């Protein structure tokens, strides 16, 4: 079943019941707060049950609202699950930022960001559930490499862009390459490499492609 099929099924699932109590216990939050709470509910569902089992009905039950309430704020399951993915990605970005801000060399920053980023994806229950999901299709990959994904990597690697002295054209091309390498390593991690093996691989093959000098010891 495709992701789109899940969305269609959610609206008319037989036997699905709305909560007997009023949505939000009769005290609806403002739009931004409502969206945040629904994304948090989706995140819990994805982490606990996996992506395939995370339907609009399941998210509504987790949040204690009706399916109609979900559709008031989101177009469907894909959109709200995408919000959960971006929320988890923000946690990864914060972790990467703390680690690379102490580095001076742009090549080191980018390599460490990729190594740490992969480790974070594999340890975050939401991201792990999304990327390990058998029904994963182009929706999440497209979202990852779309405007929100580009903005994410641009903000995450801003110190590397500055240290490299890249102009706008070089930055766009370099960050696109980094993002595509990161995505390919997430989707298809084979052959498995430990952190040191991955660093050596990236210094040898990615860093020269970015036009950055390789440190002598590497």
């Amino acid at each position: 079943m495709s992701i789109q099929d899940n969305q269609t099924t959610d609206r008319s699932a037989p036997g699905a019941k709305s909560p007997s109590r009023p949505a939000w216990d009769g005290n609806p939050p403002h739009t931004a707060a409502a969206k945040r709470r629904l994304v948090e509910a989706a995140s819990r569902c994805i982490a606990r049950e996996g992506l395939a089992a995370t339907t609009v009905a399941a998210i509504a039950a987790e949040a204690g609202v009706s399916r109609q309430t979900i559709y008031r704020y989101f177009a469907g399951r894909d959109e709200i699950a995408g919000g959960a993915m971006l929320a988890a990605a923000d946690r990864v970005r914060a972790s990467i930022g703390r680690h690379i801000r102490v580095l001076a060399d742009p090549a080191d920053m980018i390599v460490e960001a990729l190594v740490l980023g992969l480790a974070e994806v594999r340890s975050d229950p939401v991201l792990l559930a999304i990327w390990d999901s058998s029904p994963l299709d182009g929706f999440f990959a497209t979202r990852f490499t779309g405007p929100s994904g580009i903005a994410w990597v641009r903000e995450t690697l801003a110190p590397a862009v500055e240290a490299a002295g890249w102009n706008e054209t070089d930055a766009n091309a370099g960050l696109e390459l980094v993002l595509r390498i990161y995505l390919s390593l997430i989707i298809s991690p084979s052959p498995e490499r430990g952190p040191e093996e991955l660093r050596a691989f990236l210094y040898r093959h990615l860093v020269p492609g970015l036009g950055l000098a390789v440190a002598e010891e590497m």
Side-chain angles (χ1 to χ4, degrees), residues 9-13 16 18 56-57 60 65-71:
T9 302
D10 287 336
R11 292 181 182 270
S12 58
S18 299
V56 168
V65 300
S66 67
R67 286 174 293 156
Q68 289 72 24
T69 299
I70 300 286
Y71 288 114

Side-chain angles (χ1 to χ4, degrees), residues 149-166:
I150 297 296
W152 180 85
V153 75
R154 187 66 184 257
E155 184 173 348
T156 303
L157 293 179
V161 171
E162 182 178 358
W166 283 341

Side-chain angles (χ1 to χ4, degrees), residues 20-174:
S20 57
R21 68 178 187 275
W24 314 117
D25 290 326
N27 185 28
H30 293 297
T31 298
K35 285 186 172 182
R36 184 177 63 251
R37 286 165 63 173
L38 292 174
V39 166
E40 289 170 352
S43 297
R44 293 193 297 272
C45 286
I46 292 170
R48 184 178 64 246
E49 307 293 343
L51 181 61
T54 301
T55 62
V56 168
I59 297 168
E62 179 74 21
V65 300
S66 67
R67 286 174 293 156
Q68 289 72 24
T69 299
I70 300 286
Y71 288 114
R72 188 176 303 145
Y73 298 100
F74 295 94
R77 198 288 298 269
D78 283 354
E79 186 178 5
I80 192 170
M85 182 182 76
L86 290 177
D90 282 343
R91 296 192 292 272
V92 174
R93 179 178 58 200
S95 179
I96 291 173
R98 288 192 297 271
H99 283 79
I100 71 170
R101 70 165 60 109
V102 300
L103 303 174
D105 184 81
D108 292 341
M109 293 180 191
I110 291 170
V111 168
E112 291 306 312
L114 285 169
V115 172
L116 179 61
L118 286 172
E120 291 285 339
V121 166
R122 292 165 183 167
S123 64
D124 186 283
V126 173
L127 295 175
L128 185 62
I130 288 174
W131 294 115
D132 279 356
S133 175
S134 57
L136 177 68
D137 66 10
F139 175 83
F140 287 98
T142 300
R143 191 176 183 92
F144 195 82
T145 55
S148 56
I150 297 296
W152 180 85
V153 75
R154 187 66 184 257
E155 184 173 348
T156 303
L157 293 179
V161 171
E162 182 178 358
W166 283 341
N167 59 33
E168 191 67 15
T169 300
D170 290 340
N172 288 338

Side-chain angles (χ1 to χ4, degrees), residues 162-186:
E162 182 178 358
W166 283 341
N167 59 33
E168 191 67 15
T169 300
D170 290 340
N172 288 338
L175 293 175
E176 179 185 351
L177 177 58
V178 170
L179 189 59
R180 291 186 182 280
I181 293 295
Y182 185 43
L183 182 60
S184 69
L185 290 170
I186 293 172

